[in-house]
Amino acid sequence: MNNNVKSISSDAGNPVLKKSSRIHSIDTMRGYQIVLMIAWHYWAFLKTGYFETKMYVLFVMNLFGQVANALFVIVMGVSMVLSMDQRKNKGMNFRDNLIHWIKRAIIFFLLNQVLVITYLINFGAEITFSMSGLYPGWITSLGIIAIFCFLLLYVKKLYRILIMIVIELLYEMQFIDGWWIFNLSAFFYMTFGTLIGDFILEARQNNSWREFQVKIFATGVILFTLGILAELYLINTYDLTVPHTTPQYAPFFNIYSLGMFTLVFSIFFRIQDYKRERGVAIGPIRVFSNLSLTIFYSHLILLASFFIPIGMGNSFSVYSFVIFLMCFYISIYLIGVLWAKKGYIYSFEWIIRKFS
């Protein structure tokens, strides 16, 4: 999604935001989460029963890899707000924008069928249709949630925060579980993203970027610290020698995810947007950002159609797995660089832009 923000012309202490109309750190966050998501989905390639594998899963997968889904949804919420601001400046009204998000939800559902068909071919109907994350599908759910979050943009931020609190309480009292077609956990994260997006627009309007980056960093430190305490609770409560997918929708995990996002985003924002020091190390992540949805689907299709059939499960030591991931990331980057010259034509992102 587009996350353009209008230029600031009066912040003398911040020449970056005068010249640039784009929040680069949001692009980086999108690329950062897809890198984590690939590592999360491919962790089953690791050999089980080894000390190194247990440590990798405990300290890498559980602390970083499993937040990828949450980061993906939060970024989607932030981008929605910034995109709607741009559309407003172009004269789009409520009806135009509502149709825009309904079209996107339909496209998300149709694109998800590519993955569904892949799983049908490789694993059969019984397995495919028993996976709610696959069918109706996580991306399908995000398309539906996006419509409701768009409507919530017309609601005060306080009410959105209250909605998030209610969702947390429902999970805490075990009135709801992780997966419905309307995934409330994803709704929680996307709503949080809309709040961050609103704060970005307010900083632009009030010319208060310095205050914004200080507040977002302080919030990130607080939430991340609380989240680390929650992770310590998890370590003492669950068997974390495998990624803890069961409690990942619980309130303590949500706090950790919000903290991870705000802290990492605040760091990227200061480097890329406030200080304008993007550097070589961050630049390549933009390829993953520009093709995030395409990479999301294609790496799962590769998993189901190639890696699993050739027996790559339980085959790598941690060291060889890291080498494999690095080679995989480099391959994606090189393909992305070449594809960029063609404007990413026929990618999922290109399809969404063209038809919504």
Side-chain angles (χ1 to χ4, degrees), residues 112-124:
N112 192 65
Q113 304 317 301
V114 176
L115 189 58
V116 171
I117 292 171
T118 301
Y119 270 71
L120 278 173
I121 293 172
N122 289 282
F123 306 113

Side-chain angles (χ1 to χ4, degrees), residues 29-73:
M29 286 300 299
R30 188 183 293 110
Y32 171 70
Q33 62 79 26
I34 204 67
V35 168
L36 294 181
M37 191 175 290
I38 292 171
W40 168 258
H41 287 151
Y42 284 1
W43 79 272
F45 293 173
L46 287 167
K47 290 181 178 178
T48 59
Y50 288 81
F51 175 78
E52 293 88 347
T53 298
K54 292 179 179 179
M55 291 301 98
Y56 178 86
V57 170
L58 182 61
F59 292 109
V60 178
M61 297 304 298
N62 285 316
L63 289 178
F64 295 97
Q66 71 157 342
V67 300
N69 286 0
L71 299 186
F72 187 98
V73 182

